[in-house]
Amino acid sequence: MADILQGREDFELTAALLGALDTDKRQFSTAQFQAYAHTVACVQSMHAVADSMAHFAYHVLGANLDPATHIKKERDITWSKVSKKLAQGPSRMG
């Protein structure tokens, strides 16, 4: 970031980060920074898909409705906990 910003005023920062002030050297730097940002965003998105699928499986299979498979805290709904709860199966009443 320091290479891109190089002592610019606050009002110039947005233009600098968007590449409006790029020279050939800075264009590469900006492209490199953007590639890194896209890679990080992709990895975070892939992580979110796994979390969403765990919640989907938990709710679609009705595990939240049965006391034997219910997970109290929403943040604890993970693949490992959902699969363990589902392996237990529904509780037998009567």
Short mmCIF file of all heavy atoms in Angstrom, two decimals, residues 4-32:
data_model
loop_
_atom_site.label_atom_id
_atom_site.label_comp_id
_atom_site.label_asym_id
_atom_site.label_seq_id
_atom_site.Cartn_x
_atom_site.Cartn_y
_atom_site.Cartn_z
N ILE A 4 1.80 2.52 -3.42
CA ILE A 4 0.70 3.13 -4.18
C ILE A 4 0.40 4.52 -3.65
O ILE A 4 0.16 5.46 -4.40
CB ILE A 4 -0.55 2.23 -4.11
CG1 ILE A 4 -0.28 0.92 -4.85
CG2 ILE A 4 -1.77 2.94 -4.71
CD1 ILE A 4 -1.33 -0.13 -4.65
N LEU A 5 0.41 4.67 -2.33
CA LEU A 5 -0.02 5.93 -1.73
C LEU A 5 1.06 7.00 -1.73
O LEU A 5 0.76 8.18 -1.87
CB LEU A 5 -0.52 5.66 -0.31
CG LEU A 5 -1.68 4.68 -0.23
CD1 LEU A 5 -2.10 4.47 1.22
CD2 LEU A 5 -2.84 5.11 -1.06
N GLN A 6 2.30 6.64 -1.54
CA GLN A 6 3.47 7.53 -1.61
C GLN A 6 3.20 8.97 -1.19
O GLN A 6 3.36 9.91 -1.97
CB GLN A 6 4.07 7.51 -3.01
CG GLN A 6 4.70 6.20 -3.34
CD GLN A 6 5.35 6.20 -4.70
OE1 GLN A 6 5.21 7.12 -5.48
NE2 GLN A 6 6.08 5.14 -4.99
N GLY A 7 2.79 9.18 0.03
CA GLY A 7 2.63 10.52 0.59
C GLY A 7 1.54 11.35 -0.04
O GLY A 7 1.59 12.58 0.00
N ARG A 8 0.55 10.76 -0.63
CA ARG A 8 -0.54 11.51 -1.25
C ARG A 8 -1.48 12.08 -0.18
O ARG A 8 -1.56 11.56 0.91
CB ARG A 8 -1.33 10.62 -2.20
CG ARG A 8 -0.48 10.10 -3.34
CD ARG A 8 -1.35 9.48 -4.40
NE ARG A 8 -0.56 8.85 -5.43
CZ ARG A 8 0.04 9.50 -6.41
NH1 ARG A 8 -0.03 10.79 -6.51
NH2 ARG A 8 0.74 8.83 -7.31
N GLU A 9 -2.19 13.12 -0.56
CA GLU A 9 -3.17 13.74 0.33
C GLU A 9 -4.39 12.83 0.44
O GLU A 9 -4.63 11.98 -0.41
CB GLU A 9 -3.60 15.10 -0.24
CG GLU A 9 -2.46 16.11 -0.31
CD GLU A 9 -1.94 16.50 1.07
OE1 GLU A 9 -2.73 16.59 2.01
OE2 GLU A 9 -0.72 16.72 1.18
N ASP A 10 -5.19 13.03 1.49
CA ASP A 10 -6.38 12.20 1.71
C ASP A 10 -7.32 12.19 0.51
O ASP A 10 -7.86 11.16 0.14
CB ASP A 10 -7.15 12.68 2.95
CG ASP A 10 -6.41 12.37 4.24
OD1 ASP A 10 -5.49 11.53 4.21
OD2 ASP A 10 -6.76 12.96 5.28
N PHE A 11 -7.54 13.34 -0.10
CA PHE A 11 -8.47 13.41 -1.23
C PHE A 11 -7.96 12.67 -2.46
O PHE A 11 -8.71 12.37 -3.37
CB PHE A 11 -8.81 14.86 -1.57
CG PHE A 11 -7.65 15.68 -2.05
CD1 PHE A 11 -7.32 15.72 -3.40
CD2 PHE A 11 -6.89 16.41 -1.15
CE1 PHE A 11 -6.25 16.48 -3.84
CE2 PHE A 11 -5.81 17.17 -1.59
CZ PHE A 11 -5.49 17.20 -2.94
N GLU A 12 -6.66 12.36 -2.52
CA GLU A 12 -6.08 11.64 -3.65
C GLU A 12 -6.08 10.12 -3.46
O GLU A 12 -5.83 9.39 -4.41
CB GLU A 12 -4.63 12.08 -3.88
CG GLU A 12 -4.47 13.52 -4.30
CD GLU A 12 -3.00 13.88 -4.43
OE1 GLU A 12 -2.28 13.82 -3.40
OE2 GLU A 12 -2.59 14.17 -5.56
N LEU A 13 -6.37 9.67 -2.26
CA LEU A 13 -6.24 8.24 -1.96
C LEU A 13 -7.16 7.37 -2.80
O LEU A 13 -6.75 6.33 -3.31
CB LEU A 13 -6.49 7.98 -0.47
CG LEU A 13 -5.46 8.60 0.48
CD1 LEU A 13 -5.79 8.25 1.92
CD2 LEU A 13 -4.06 8.16 0.13
N THR A 14 -8.41 7.78 -2.95
CA THR A 14 -9.34 6.96 -3.73
C THR A 14 -8.86 6.84 -5.17
O THR A 14 -8.86 5.74 -5.73
CB THR A 14 -10.76 7.57 -3.68
OG1 THR A 14 -11.16 7.68 -2.33
CG2 THR A 14 -11.74 6.72 -4.45
N ALA A 15 -8.47 7.94 -5.76
CA ALA A 15 -7.98 7.90 -7.14
C ALA A 15 -6.74 7.02 -7.25
O ALA A 15 -6.60 6.24 -8.20
CB ALA A 15 -7.68 9.31 -7.63
N ALA A 16 -5.86 7.12 -6.27
CA ALA A 16 -4.64 6.31 -6.29
C ALA A 16 -4.96 4.83 -6.17
O ALA A 16 -4.39 4.00 -6.89
CB ALA A 16 -3.71 6.75 -5.15
N LEU A 17 -5.89 4.48 -5.29
CA LEU A 17 -6.25 3.07 -5.10
C LEU A 17 -6.99 2.51 -6.30
O LEU A 17 -6.93 1.31 -6.56
CB LEU A 17 -7.07 2.90 -3.83
CG LEU A 17 -6.28 3.09 -2.54
CD1 LEU A 17 -7.21 3.09 -1.33
CD2 LEU A 17 -5.22 2.02 -2.38
N LEU A 18 -7.71 3.34 -7.03
CA LEU A 18 -8.43 2.88 -8.22
C LEU A 18 -7.56 2.85 -9.47
O LEU A 18 -7.98 2.42 -10.52
CB LEU A 18 -9.66 3.75 -8.45
CG LEU A 18 -10.75 3.63 -7.38
CD1 LEU A 18 -11.85 4.63 -7.64
CD2 LEU A 18 -11.29 2.21 -7.33
N GLY A 19 -6.34 3.33 -9.35
CA GLY A 19 -5.40 3.24 -10.45
C GLY A 19 -5.37 4.45 -11.37
O GLY A 19 -4.71 4.43 -12.40
N ALA A 20 -6.05 5.51 -11.01
CA ALA A 20 -6.11 6.70 -11.87
C ALA A 20 -4.75 7.38 -11.99
O ALA A 20 -4.49 8.06 -12.98
CB ALA A 20 -7.13 7.69 -11.32
N LEU A 21 -3.88 7.20 -11.03
CA LEU A 21 -2.59 7.88 -11.03
C LEU A 21 -1.44 6.93 -11.37
O LEU A 21 -0.28 7.24 -11.13
CB LEU A 21 -2.35 8.51 -9.64
CG LEU A 21 -3.47 9.42 -9.13
CD1 LEU A 21 -3.18 9.86 -7.71
CD2 LEU A 21 -3.66 10.62 -10.04
N ASP A 22 -1.76 5.77 -11.94
CA ASP A 22 -0.75 4.75 -12.20
C ASP A 22 0.25 5.14 -13.29
O ASP A 22 -0.10 5.73 -14.30
CB ASP A 22 -1.40 3.44 -12.64
CG ASP A 22 -1.98 2.67 -11.48
OD1 ASP A 22 -1.74 3.08 -10.34
OD2 ASP A 22 -2.65 1.66 -11.73
N THR A 23 1.48 4.77 -13.02
CA THR A 23 2.51 4.75 -14.06
C THR A 23 2.67 3.28 -14.41
O THR A 23 2.01 2.42 -13.83
CB THR A 23 3.84 5.31 -13.50
OG1 THR A 23 4.27 4.45 -12.44
CG2 THR A 23 3.69 6.72 -13.01
N ASP A 24 3.53 2.94 -15.34
CA ASP A 24 3.72 1.53 -15.69
C ASP A 24 4.10 0.69 -14.49
O ASP A 24 3.61 -0.40 -14.29
CB ASP A 24 4.78 1.38 -16.78
CG ASP A 24 4.27 1.83 -18.14
OD1 ASP A 24 3.04 1.90 -18.32
OD2 ASP A 24 5.10 2.14 -19.00
N LYS A 25 5.01 1.23 -13.66
CA LYS A 25 5.46 0.49 -12.47
C LYS A 25 4.31 0.29 -11.50
O LYS A 25 4.12 -0.78 -10.94
CB LYS A 25 6.60 1.25 -11.79
CG LYS A 25 7.14 0.55 -10.57
CD LYS A 25 8.25 1.35 -9.91
CE LYS A 25 8.66 0.72 -8.62
NZ LYS A 25 9.55 1.58 -7.86
N ARG A 26 3.52 1.32 -11.31
CA ARG A 26 2.41 1.22 -10.36
C ARG A 26 1.26 0.39 -10.91
O ARG A 26 0.51 -0.17 -10.15
CB ARG A 26 1.93 2.62 -9.97
CG ARG A 26 2.85 3.23 -8.94
CD ARG A 26 2.15 4.30 -8.18
NE ARG A 26 3.08 5.40 -8.05
CZ ARG A 26 2.76 6.65 -8.07
NH1 ARG A 26 1.52 7.02 -8.20
NH2 ARG A 26 3.67 7.57 -7.95
N GLN A 27 1.12 0.31 -12.22
CA GLN A 27 0.06 -0.53 -12.78
C GLN A 27 0.28 -1.98 -12.38
O GLN A 27 -0.66 -2.68 -12.04
CB GLN A 27 -0.01 -0.39 -14.30
CG GLN A 27 -0.67 0.89 -14.74
CD GLN A 27 -0.66 1.04 -16.25
OE1 GLN A 27 0.09 0.37 -16.95
NE2 GLN A 27 -1.50 1.93 -16.75
N PHE A 28 1.52 -2.42 -12.44
CA PHE A 28 1.83 -3.79 -12.03
C PHE A 28 1.54 -3.96 -10.55
O PHE A 28 0.96 -4.95 -10.12
CB PHE A 28 3.29 -4.14 -12.33
CG PHE A 28 3.66 -5.51 -11.84
CD1 PHE A 28 3.25 -6.63 -12.54
CD2 PHE A 28 4.39 -5.67 -10.67
CE1 PHE A 28 3.56 -7.90 -12.08
CE2 PHE A 28 4.71 -6.94 -10.21
CZ PHE A 28 4.30 -8.06 -10.93
N SER A 29 1.94 -2.98 -9.75
CA SER A 29 1.72 -3.02 -8.31
C SER A 29 0.23 -3.09 -8.00
O SER A 29 -0.22 -3.85 -7.15
CB SER A 29 2.31 -1.75 -7.70
OG SER A 29 2.89 -1.98 -6.48
N THR A 30 -0.55 -2.29 -8.71
CA THR A 30 -1.99 -2.28 -8.50
C THR A 30 -2.59 -3.61 -8.92
O THR A 30 -3.43 -4.16 -8.21
CB THR A 30 -2.64 -1.12 -9.31
OG1 THR A 30 -2.10 0.11 -8.85
CG2 THR A 30 -4.14 -1.09 -9.13
N ALA A 31 -2.17 -4.14 -10.05
CA ALA A 31 -2.68 -5.44 -10.51
C ALA A 31 -2.34 -6.54 -9.52
O ALA A 31 -3.16 -7.41 -9.24
CB ALA A 31 -2.11 -5.76 -11.89
N GLN A 32 -1.14 -6.49 -8.98
CA GLN A 32 -0.71 -7.47 -8.00
C GLN A 32 -1.57 -7.37 -6.73
O GLN A 32 -2.02 -8.39 -6.20
CB GLN A 32 0.76 -7.24 -7.67
CG GLN A 32 1.40 -8.31 -6.85
CD GLN A 32 2.89 -8.02 -6.65
OE1 GLN A 32 3.34 -6.87 -6.71
NE2 GLN A 32 3.66 -9.06 -6.41
#
